[in-house]
Amino acid sequence: MLVLLAGIFLLHLTSIILLLVATIDNAWWMTKTVSTDVWARWILTNGTWSSNDLPSYYHQEYLQAVQASSILACIFSSIGLFVFVGQLFTLSKGQRFTFSGIFQLLACLCIMIAASIYTDIFHKNESDGWYGHSFILAWISFAFTFISSIIYFVLRKKTAN
């Protein structure tokens, strides 16, 4: 059981790191000279990257929804990790992993909302670029947070007996 708990802890920690990198790093949309994230646009001129504001044609409401959802996913997943560690020592066996699973499920939904809005709204008419590694990490962290939330709910059932 100790190895299983360590594996779950590492999965959860990996999810948090992926969420943070996806939220902070500047590679949601890439071209050869432009790197865009949910906060700014970086343009390569004369071999140096310079930060610029996002274009005015970006829908601010949707952009703020992506930003808020990404931040909430990081917060919920981090709280879930602390709750997981706290629950190991304080709650009885049948209730142990319920709150951790709920926080991970909330993080999963938030990052899914952020990545879905970004996919649907932004860069539809841009054909010369591609989705960057931060965008891909957001979807991978969605899968990791979903898997860990399912594991928490399954473990709750197994430890209830």
Side-chain angles (χ1 to χ4, degrees):
M1 185 68 163
L2 187 60
V3 173
L4 179 65
L5 292 175
I8 293 169
F9 180 81
L10 287 176
L11 177 65
H12 199 131
L13 194 62
T14 303
S15 299
I16 292 172
I17 292 169
L18 290 177
L19 284 168
L20 287 171
V21 169
T23 302
I24 295 169
D25 200 14
N26 60 347
W28 279 62
W29 181 259
M30 306 281 297
T31 66
K32 292 181 181 181
T33 58
V34 175
S35 177
T36 305
D37 63 4
V38 295
W39 309 104
R41 178 171 271 196
W42 295 83
I43 299 175
L44 180 65
T45 51
N46 299 328
T48 60
W49 289 95
S50 61
S51 176
N52 297 303
D53 291 334
L54 290 170
S56 60
Y57 59 83
Y58 273 31
H59 303 283
Q60 290 300 313
E61 302 85 21
Y62 292 115
L63 184 63
Q64 289 174 354
V66 171
Q67 291 169 341
S69 296
S70 297
I71 291 171
L72 281 174
C74 295
I75 291 170
F76 284 142
S77 191
S78 298
I79 291 172
L81 185 64
F82 289 118
V83 168
F84 168 68
V85 172
Q87 285 179 340
L88 286 175
F89 302 110
T90 59
L91 292 179
S92 62
K93 282 190 174 185
Q95 304 167 338
R96 213 171 250 172
F97 302 112
T98 305
F99 295 118
S100 299
I102 290 170
F103 279 115
Q104 278 298 91
L105 193 59
L106 287 171
C108 170
L109 292 174
C110 285
I111 199 63
M112 181 192 65
I113 289 168
S116 297
I117 290 172
Y118 196 86
T119 304
D120 186 46
I121 301 299
F122 301 104
H123 311 292
K124 279 187 169 182
N125 299 326
E126 297 179 36
S127 61
D128 62 338
W130 59 90
Y131 288 108
H133 65 270
S134 295
F135 177 79
I136 295 166
L137 288 177
W139 280 111
I140 292 171
S141 63
F142 159 72
F144 278 15
T145 54
F146 182 71
I147 290 167
S148 69
S149 69
I150 297 301
I151 289 173
Y152 283 133
F153 289 128
V154 169
L155 275 179
R156 180 189 66 83
K157 292 285 186 188
K158 286 193 181 250
T159 57
N161 296 331

